[in-house]
Structure formats: C-alpha cells, structure tokens
Amino acid sequence: MNRLGMHSIAATQPIAAWRLGAWPLFLALVPLTVFAIGVPAKGEGWASFHNGGRLSLEPDTQLPIAWDPALAGGWSLELAGYGQSTPVTDGKTIYITSVSGDNKEQLHVQALSVDRGEELWRRDFANVSPEPNNSYVSRAAPSPAADRDGVVAFFEGGNVVALDAAGEVRWELNLVEQYGALAARHGLAASLEQDESRVFVWVERQENPFVLALNKKSGAVEWKSDGVGATSWSSPRLISVGESNHLVLSAIGSLVGLDAETGERLWTLEGVTGNSAPTPVPMGIGRFLIGATTGRGTSAGGGAAASNGVVEIVQSEAGDWSAAYAWRAKRATSSFGSPIAHRGCVYFINRSGVVYCLDAATGEEHYAKRIGSSSWATPIGAGEHVYFFGKDGSATVLKAGAKFEAVGESTTWETGTASTEGAPGPRLGNPVLYAASIINGKLLLRRGDRLYCVKP
C-alpha cells in the first residue's frame, strides 16, 4: 500500500471575481455508458459523477415534484467539512467528500445510510498539498466513484484513496509525490470516471497535464497519457463507440478522445468555445452532448451557442477516428452544469436561468423560458419530469416534452440561511447548491456544507 507523504505547493493567488473566466465555486459540479460490475443498476443510484452520464432515468419510484425546507419524510445532515462534489452510492451506502481547515489540511470521506442519513463511518486524511481554503479555489470538487468493493476518492490536492465498504483503506496514492505539484487555475475539479476495472483521474494542471487509468483493486497505474493543455473544470466521460469506449475530455478550445484501454489519443475536435465547465453527456452509441457557456473570457460572444450541441464520433474505412458536430444549437447556451437529453428532447440552462428545450434528433428549438436563478448543478430527467436546481437552493420541475409546463417549485432551505463553510473570501453567507443525484428513489441535494434528502 502506498503511504501518503506531506508536501505543499504555492497557493494560487486570488483573482478578482470580475476577471474569472469561470467562477471557481461552480465546481460541483456537479456525475460509462455501461456500468461497472457491482455498480448500481439504472435508477438505483449515482455510482459516479452524473451517474456516469446517465441523467435520463425511468425510476420505478416517482420522485416528488415539490418540497419545502421541512423535508417531510426526508432528512438533512451537516457534513464534516465543505465540498463541491456529488454524493455517490454503491446501492446501499452514500459516500460524500469534503475538506476542512484554514488551508484545507483535512480531507474527509463520509459513509451515510441511505434511509436516515446516519453516519456509518468517516475517514480523515492529511492533504498532501494544502492551500488556502477560500472561494477562489476548488474545495473537494472532484466527485468519487463507487462500486460493490467500496469507494475511490480523489482530492484536488493530489490524494487518491480507495476504501472498502467498511471504511478500511485498500490503497492510497500521493500524486504530488509521484508527478509533482498539481497547480491549476482555481484548482482541479475533474471527477472520477470508472469502468469495470479502472478508475480514470484527469489532472489538467497548468504544466504537463495528464490522465491516469488506475486499477481499482490495487491502485496500480495501467496507463498515463497527456492531458489537453488548456483550462478545464470539466470531468472525463466514457462514450461507447460500439466495441470500445472513448474517454472524452473537454477543455477550452477543443474536445479530445482517448482510447480507454491504452490512453492513446484517437481524435481532437478544435474550434470549441466556452467549454471549460460542462461535462460531455452520452447520447447513444458514438454520440454525446456538449455544453458551452457565455462566461467572461471563455467564449467569443454569440459563438458559444454554436459550441452547444451533439458531437458524433466516427471511424473511417482506414480505421482512423474523428469527431464532428451532428447539430449545433442556434441560441441555447449552458451555465456550469451540463445539458441533458430526456424523452426525445435536449435541455440546456444558461447563466441567467433560461431553459432551452431542443429536439434531440435535429436541434430545433421547442422553447426558451426563464425559470429562476442561475444553476450550477446539472439537471436530471426522471420519468415524465425534468428537474432543474438553482444555486440558491430553489428547484423547478418541468413536464418532459416539447411544450413548456412547470409542475413544481421548491425551496430546499430557508431564504437568508447562512452557510457554515467557515472559509474566508467573497460571497460567504450565501449557500450554494452544487449537485443533485438520485439514490434508491430519493433525491439528494448537495450544499457546500450540508446534504439534503428528499423522499417520495
């Protein structure tokens, strides 16, 4: 077992908010086209960030379309620290990560019961590269990955740790010790992706970025490949292309596809703008949705809409791979969350809280309606409904389909609630809803310092 050493890197210098290409607090971001063995089946729960891109569900249990801060029948729990990751599950246990301390010295992995939110165990680790705990730099942004053997967690400081279902350490890695400092603009945010035997770690640092494929049982490095070499807070995503999977990476200016078995770069799609935050979302064999925002410094004005759409991966008769847009949006743009496809429609939500509903086959726009505040969490399609989550804790439920119909409005916490994140920096006291996931028919909403469970 590799033991963690203590190392430090120079703290990222604060940058005025108006200069940020994308605010660091989006990082929740907040979910395999084929689930890993032992990973919960469709509808049972998020086993990784975005449920491995499976954001369109047909659950047996109908989710509630409205709730209030009382969470009748549900529960809420103050977490060990502050974090921006998505809660994941092995089907029986909820796993969630956070950090604490003035310099994020302590890293936390908590296991909770699904039914009552009771803490089953908690494991704390020393951050191998502490840096100031503030809203300019990511805080437990990468989401973990779970399967029947337990959970693997990655922290932006460079710790990777695998725990079994009882909380015992299976293996640990210190990426700083092995590969040097992980300095990145506003910190790293890429969540873990997984297949049956590997977990994929994307470190898009400022110098010499890289991607690792780690054996889930041992932590051994199966391959290491170059990163993209551009700004990104997106996460890697496996896209099925028939007999194989491509690991797709999205970073400002381009999309890249790697062979999931070898790490070989197979294709690059250039000319993409505003794509620093949304993660690619699978949309059938060889296709995926990509989102792009009009955030400051991340797009060329109206060009961002043309970077939102469906990308198709194809192979030539000679065996070469390439990727190109199957269709592009005309007006729709994204915020920090990804777009989703559900029941024949594609949904984007922009920085102003406007939902765009497009035809999934053609990209033709059905409607554009403002529903509320900006959303940093990715929407979820569940049965006949689509769920949108405002960063202020609000939620709007729309009826799925080409016609706009709002069927539910909710507030997860009382207006004026102060966050207990306890870190210096701007905008403190305004809690942020970073992520939403479905676990065993329950809706989990992740605030920086708290987890909420909404039951049917």
Side-chain angles (χ1 to χ4, degrees), residues 362-445:
T362 66
E364 290 301 310
E365 185 177 304
H366 293 312
Y367 64 77
K369 295 286 186 180
R370 187 184 305 275
I371 62 169
S373 71
S374 176
S375 176
W376 292 356
T378 293
I380 297 172
E384 62 182 7
H385 299 129
V386 183
Y387 290 71
F388 297 88
F389 309 96
K391 70 175 184 179
D392 59 359
S394 61
T396 301
V397 182
L398 304 182
K399 185 139 184 214
K403 180 181 178 181
F404 179 84
E405 182 180 350
V407 296
E409 298 282 346
S410 302
T411 301
T412 305
W413 55 78
E414 296 285 358
T415 303
T417 299
S419 173
T420 59
E421 58 183 288
R427 298 184 298 279
L428 298 192
N430 297 316
V432 175
L433 194 159
Y434 288 109
S437 61
I438 297 172
I439 292 180
N440 294 3
K442 303 171 182 65
L443 181 63
L444 293 185
L445 304 175

Side-chain angles (χ1 to χ4, degrees), residues 203 207 211 231:
V203 179
E207 297 182 3
V211 185
T231 299

Side-chain angles (χ1 to χ4, degrees), residues 235-296:
S235 297
R237 177 63 68 233
L238 285 172
I239 304 296
S240 173
V241 285
E243 297 298 321
S244 62
N245 287 323
H246 291 190
L247 188 70
V248 178
L249 313 175
S250 176
I252 283 294
S254 65
L255 300 165
V256 169
L258 306 180
D259 187 320
E261 295 291 329
T262 66
E264 176 190 0
R265 184 175 293 200
L266 300 175
W267 54 265
T268 301
L269 176 60
E270 304 281 2
V272 187
T273 63
N275 60 313
S276 62
T279 292
V281 174
M283 198 175 158
I285 302 299
R287 286 192 167 203
F288 61 90
L289 271 168
I290 188 66
T293 181
T294 56
R296 302 176 186 88

Side-chain angles (χ1 to χ4, degrees), residues 4 82-85 96-100 104-110 123-129 131 138-144 152-163 173-176 182 187-192 201-203 446:
L4 296 176
Y82 192 90
Q84 299 159 311
S85 57
I96 193 164
T97 59
S98 60
V99 299
S100 63
K104 301 194 297 185
E105 299 94 339
Q106 291 294 308
L107 313 175
H108 312 290
V109 181
Q110 289 175 272
R123 298 293 178 263
D124 303 324
F125 302 88
N127 191 344
V128 299
S129 53
E131 60 180 334
S138 57
R139 289 174 282 181
S143 300
V152 181
F154 167 49
F155 293 88
E156 60 270 13
N159 300 64
V160 185
V161 57
L163 303 164
L173 294 179
N174 179 339
L175 299 186
V176 174
L182 306 186
L188 300 173
S191 298
L192 297 178
V201 185
W202 182 18
V203 179
R446 200 267 164 78

